[in-house]
Amino acid sequence: MNGSVGIVKTEYAEFDVELQLESGRLLGPVTLAYETYGTLNAERSNAILVTHAWTGDAHAAGRYHEDDRKSGWWDDMIGPGKVLDTERYFVVCSNVIGSCKGSTGPTSINPRTDKPYNLAFPVVMVRDMVRAQKLLVDRLGLPSLLTVIGGSMGAMQALEWGILYPEMVRSIIPIAGTGRTSPMSISLNAVARQAIFNDPMWKKGNYRPEHPPADGLALARAVGHISFLSDASMHLKFGRRFSARDGMFDFFGQFEVERYLEYNGASFVERFDTNAFLYLAKALDLYDAAWNFDGLEDALDHLRCPSLWFAFTSDWLYPPQQTEQVTEILARLGKSVAYHLIDSDYGHDSFLVEPEKFTPFIVAFLDRLG
Amino acid sequence: MNGSVGIVKTEYAEFDVELQLESGRLLGPVTLAYETYGTLNAERSNAILVTHAWTGDAHAAGRYHEDDRKSGWWDDMIGPGKVLDTERYFVVCSNVIGSCKGSTGPTSINPRTDKPYNLAFPVVMVRDMVRAQKLLVDRLGLPSLLTVIGGSMGAMQALEWGILYPEMVRSIIPIAGTGRTSPMSISLNAVARQAIFNDPMWKKGNYRPEHPPADGLALARAVGHISFLSDASMHLKFGRRFSARDGMFDFFGQFEVERYLEYNGASFVERFDTNAFLYLAKALDLYDAAWNFDGLEDALDHLRCPSLWFAFTSDWLYPPQQTEQVTEILARLGKSVAYHLIDSDYGHDSFLVEPEKFTPFIVAFLDRLG
């Protein structure tokens, strides 16, 4: 029980396509980084797609090598005997387009110029990410998905799967999501964006990878980081502790929470590309399930599968009301929908921090699906 | 009823003192900008002190000249027939030390160098602001204050008045305040601070006034601005409208809320000094009514007057629980305390936007005081 999927390897699927994006622009060829855990059954009926959040990647579970100290981002959820039980399910996770973790994004080589796209990369929507994932699901020979499950931007992808490919998707599990991002969430991204634009190292996206706009990106990350936490979780972790008491009256003295944000921002620069961060922020801002439909109700009416939704009491980035707006419409439309408001102090990040609070509902839900 | 106080003039009081600050450092001489409205009665018993928020000033009511299109920041509250009725009360408002609106702050001339203080200005706490105000209250010959009233940082000052000068203060009315700032609030200020520090024009505070770190300050202001609003108020005002629909897939395209924040940030640069902004942010971060007492309960036990508190349902910067933490202690200590949670969509800024929702309670409260 509760074992690890063990040593894993990221694979890369290449698609010689011109993907038509929501903007009308074309993107191709397309590479998708992905990982799989468990085994596809003979009926090819046990596949689960895991969708990641903003700065996530394909590495959802396991370790890359024996000495790897860090396991995949949802290792608590995926493995033998875990909720997404790899002895029963074939679990797939792929990096979204627009990102910098192996899938085609602004750091990829633009075939028209043989140089990195940078800002020549087209603006993508969450719906475009899902269309790209569909290529992978087809390539893997999966006629259907038992469920599509993810948190935050992953929840948006899960919903888009249900809307775009109702004939393939047997259920969706959106966690800490929203039907459309709010002006508050857009505002926070606007600040993050401007922090990068203000950094002279950004050079309108034409920085060299070894000289990124580190100050701007670290600050942008701090804004995001704050929005993923909650007042309560910060109290638990930092309170009002000063990092050096003597420095309290020092103009540059820092509270511990401040030092933590600075440290986290600086380490984020090591692992994420600035332009990719900006493109994904844009995709989040543009996210609206009703896009190109006659409103949210029309969009949601395309769903044919049962859906299981979770929101967290302390999530102020995508607060529970935003999930409830969607689940109420689904209920009104007579769809099979279950919703659980989970009491947690960990804000938006609760889906990563306290999975044990919602996993029992998922186990039961998947069991009922067969 | 509901008239204006008319044409007003900011006065300046100079104090040849060395004010001992909480940090142990000395500040002197001290100038305080202030305005008064109404007339002090013969018994000198009708004085009310209004305390301002972060970027506020002494100009709380009236206009500077006939063509002045903008009246003082709390003109809705102060004037003949208004809540703070200038036909009954003598209302005083002074700019805090550390600010840039006429009182001594980082833009003032340092007498030891004959140059602006800039970062040589000492870190001040809210308690220091109140000690400086006490000099003014004494200079004006006010033996007591009928009430001290203010929102946000003004609420902190009101509470400090009650704690420091219980023999002088006959009541306090803290609105949208807190007993101590939370790590969430500190984090937001940390981001604002870093936005300024990242601006090469800041030059460790030694910018020339005509060349301020405009990009950094505008961004810092945007962070603050977001925290003063609420998801609901942003929905009402902007929704998800794009400022130019065609630009939605433009990398630099902006939602209306984003353009608004940018515009507001840029205009803020015209009216506020960067170092003053930073010093006041620091004062907010350091604010803790329990400072130098044996905890919050000990500090609050110094209060001898009735207090009237307001918090707003949508205020996520200083959420209602933070006010309730204080009022519950006051009640437990057997103090005369009244608290109203006001239902408003305007977030922290509700104290400026919807005064009509709480003013009836203030009228009744002041009437009872005599």
Side-chain angles (χ1 to χ4, degrees):
Chain A
M1 281 294 278
N2 297 324
S4 166
V5 298
I7 305 300
V8 299
K9 186 166 172 286
T10 306
E11 309 281 347
Y12 299 87
E14 295 185 11
F15 303 91
D16 190 19
V17 292
E18 294 277 4
L19 195 65
Q20 167 115 35
L21 303 173
E22 289 294 326
S23 64
R25 288 183 62 182
L26 299 171
L27 179 67
V30 171
T31 300
L32 290 185
Y34 70 100
E35 296 187 8
T36 69
Y37 322 106
T39 311
L40 188 62
N41 63 15
E43 301 80 25
R44 298 188 292 165
S45 65
N46 67 336
I48 287 178
L49 180 66
V50 169
T51 46
H52 70 72
W54 193 350
T55 62
D57 53 35
H59 185 43
R63 293 159 197 271
Y64 285 133
H65 50 82
E66 291 296 344
D67 302 329
D68 194 350
R69 285 181 308 170
K70 209 159 168 276
S71 43
W73 59 269
W74 230 7
D75 198 71
D76 285 344
M77 296 278 290
I78 305 163
K82 293 181 183 170
V83 196
L84 306 183
D85 186 348
T86 48
E87 300 193 325
R88 296 177 63 187
Y89 307 120
F90 176 63
V91 179
V92 181
C93 181
S94 81
N95 184 222
V96 298
I97 56 169
S99 180
C100 54
K101 296 294 191 176
S103 294
T104 303
T107 60
S108 304
I109 296 299
N110 181 348
R112 275 170 284 279
T113 63
D114 282 329
K115 281 187 261 183
Y117 279 103
N118 296 343
L119 296 203
F121 195 77
V123 166
V124 297
M125 292 186 85
V126 172
R127 194 163 291 172
D128 298 316
M129 299 172 186
V130 167
R131 288 225 176 82
Q133 284 163 356
K134 172 72 159 56
L135 298 172
L136 176 67
V137 167
D138 288 345
R139 173 79 55 89
L140 294 173
L142 311 176
S144 71
L145 295 169
L146 183 62
T147 201
V148 184
I149 178 172
S152 194
M153 191 177 82
M156 299 170 185
Q157 294 166 66
L159 177 56
E160 291 291 311
W161 266 98
I163 292 172
L164 291 186
Y165 306 111
E167 69 289 354
M168 285 190 65
V169 175
R170 292 168 56 204
S171 75
I172 60 171
I173 309 180
I175 308 174
T178 178
R180 52 167 66 106
T181 46
S182 67
M184 171 65 84
S185 150
I186 292 168
S187 300
L188 293 164
N189 283 352
V191 167
R193 210 169 357 255
Q194 198 59 52
I196 293 167
F197 294 172
N198 280 358
D199 189 331
M201 297 299 287
W202 186 58
K203 304 173 196 290
K204 291 235 166 186
N206 292 315
Y207 53 88
R208 280 186 299 165
E210 63 275 26
H211 296 294
D215 292 345
L217 181 59
L219 181 55
R221 173 60 172 183
V223 177
H225 203 112
I226 292 171
S227 74
F228 305 152
L229 303 177
S230 75
D231 206 21
S233 68
M234 285 179 161
H235 262 297
L236 289 171
K237 199 159 179 176
F238 308 106
R240 287 180 45 87
R241 285 189 300 280
F242 218 76
S243 57
R245 191 73 189 179
D246 288 351
M248 212 181 110
F249 292 106
D250 171 4
F251 183 84
F252 292 101
Q254 290 186 317
F255 284 86
E256 280 190 12
V257 66
E258 190 165 359
R259 186 143 82 168
Y260 168 77
L261 285 172
E262 189 173 288
Y263 171 81
N264 180 282
S267 72
F268 181 70
V269 173
E270 306 288 313
R271 71 175 178 87
F272 217 85
D273 172 65
T274 306
N275 288 337
F277 182 87
L278 290 168
Y279 273 91
L280 297 179
K282 192 82 183 173
L284 290 167
D285 288 352
L286 294 179
Y287 182 66
D288 182 352
W291 168 252
N292 266 348
F293 289 100
D294 295 334
L296 201 49
E297 190 159 322
D298 179 38
L300 295 172
D301 201 26
H302 286 72
L303 236 69
R304 287 196 222 147
C305 66
S307 58
L308 172 62
W309 301 75
F310 298 99
F312 301 95
T313 48
S314 56
D315 183 351
W316 63 277
L317 183 61
Y318 302 153
Q321 311 88 277
Q322 294 185 15
T323 291
E324 288 156 19
Q325 192 198 8
V326 174
T327 56
E328 280 160 19
I329 294 176
L330 288 171
R332 204 159 58 230
L333 291 167
K335 309 287 180 183
S336 167
V337 54
Y339 163 64
H340 300 276
L341 175 59
I342 305 296
D343 193 30
S344 172
D345 279 340
Y346 290 93
H348 187 63
D349 264 356
S350 298
F351 79 95
L352 295 169
V353 182
E354 297 198 310
E356 68 279 8
K357 287 201 171 168
F358 57 85
T359 47
F361 299 107
I362 296 177
V363 171
F365 180 80
L366 291 177
D367 279 348
R368 271 197 306 275
L369 287 174
Chain B
M1 279 293 279
N2 297 323
S4 165
V5 297
I7 304 300
V8 300
K9 185 165 173 289
T10 305
E11 309 281 347
Y12 300 88
E14 295 186 11
F15 302 93
D16 189 18
V17 292
E18 293 277 5
L19 196 65
Q20 168 116 36
L21 302 173
E22 289 295 326
S23 64
R25 288 182 63 184
L26 299 171
L27 179 66
V30 171
T31 300
L32 291 184
Y34 70 99
E35 296 187 8
T36 68
Y37 321 107
T39 312
L40 187 62
N41 63 14
E43 301 80 26
R44 297 187 294 165
S45 65
N46 67 334
I48 287 179
L49 181 65
V50 168
T51 46
H52 71 71
W54 194 350
T55 61
D57 54 33
H59 185 44
R63 293 158 196 270
Y64 285 133
H65 50 81
E66 291 296 343
D67 303 330
D68 194 352
R69 284 182 308 171
K70 210 160 167 274
S71 43
W73 59 269
W74 230 6
D75 198 71
D76 285 345
M77 295 278 288
I78 304 164
K82 293 181 183 170
V83 196
L84 306 184
D85 185 349
T86 47
E87 300 194 327
R88 296 177 62 187
Y89 306 120
F90 176 63
V91 179
V92 181
C93 181
S94 82
N95 184 222
V96 298
I97 55 168
S99 181
C100 55
K101 295 295 192 175
S103 295
T104 302
T107 60
S108 305
I109 296 299
N110 181 347
R112 276 171 283 279
T113 63
D114 282 329
K115 282 188 260 181
Y117 279 103
N118 295 342
L119 296 203
F121 194 75
V123 166
V124 296
M125 292 185 85
V126 172
R127 194 163 292 171
D128 297 316
M129 298 171 185
V130 167
R131 288 227 176 81
Q133 283 163 356
K134 172 69 159 57
L135 298 173
L136 177 66
V137 167
D138 289 344
R139 173 79 56 91
L140 294 174
L142 311 176
S144 71
L145 295 169
L146 183 62
T147 200
V148 184
I149 178 172
S152 193
M153 191 178 81
M156 299 172 185
Q157 295 165 68
L159 177 55
E160 291 291 311
W161 266 97
I163 292 172
L164 291 186
Y165 306 110
E167 69 289 353
M168 284 190 64
V169 175
R170 292 168 56 203
S171 76
I172 60 171
I173 308 179
I175 307 173
T178 178
R180 52 168 63 107
T181 47
S182 67
M184 171 64 84
S185 151
I186 292 169
S187 301
L188 293 165
N189 284 351
V191 167
R193 209 168 359 253
Q194 198 60 51
I196 292 167
F197 294 172
N198 280 358
D199 189 330
M201 296 299 287
W202 186 59
K203 305 175 196 290
K204 291 237 168 186
N206 292 315
Y207 55 88
R208 281 185 299 164
E210 64 274 27
H211 296 294
D215 292 344
L217 181 59
L219 182 54
R221 173 60 173 185
V223 177
H225 203 114
I226 292 170
S227 73
F228 305 152
L229 302 177
S230 75
D231 206 21
S233 68
M234 286 178 160
H235 261 297
L236 289 171
K237 198 158 179 177
F238 309 106
R240 286 180 46 86
R241 286 189 301 279
F242 217 75
S243 56
R245 191 73 192 177
D246 288 351
M248 212 180 110
F249 292 106
D250 171 3
F251 184 83
F252 292 101
Q254 290 187 316
F255 284 86
E256 279 190 15
V257 66
E258 189 165 359
R259 187 144 79 168
Y260 168 77
L261 285 171
E262 189 173 288
Y263 171 80
N264 181 281
S267 71
F268 181 70
V269 173
E270 307 287 313
R271 71 175 177 86
F272 216 84
D273 172 66
T274 306
N275 288 338
F277 182 86
L278 290 168
Y279 273 91
L280 297 179
K282 193 83 182 174
L284 289 167
D285 288 353
L286 294 179
Y287 181 66
D288 182 353
W291 169 251
N292 266 346
F293 289 100
D294 294 336
L296 201 48
E297 190 158 321
D298 179 37
L300 295 173
D301 202 25
H302 286 73
L303 236 68
R304 287 196 222 146
C305 65
S307 58
L308 173 63
W309 301 75
F310 298 100
F312 301 96
T313 49
S314 57
D315 183 350
W316 63 279
L317 183 61
Y318 302 153
Q321 312 88 275
Q322 294 185 17
T323 291
E324 289 157 18
Q325 194 198 8
V326 173
T327 55
E328 280 160 18
I329 294 176
L330 288 171
R332 205 160 56 230
L333 291 169
K335 309 286 180 184
S336 168
V337 53
Y339 164 63
H340 300 277
L341 176 58
I342 306 295
D343 193 30
S344 171
D345 279 341
Y346 290 93
H348 187 62
D349 264 355
S350 299
F351 78 95
L352 295 169
V353 182
E354 296 199 310
E356 68 279 9
K357 287 200 172 168
F358 56 88
T359 47
F361 299 106
I362 296 177
V363 170
F365 180 79
L366 291 177
D367 280 346
R368 273 196 304 275
L369 286 175

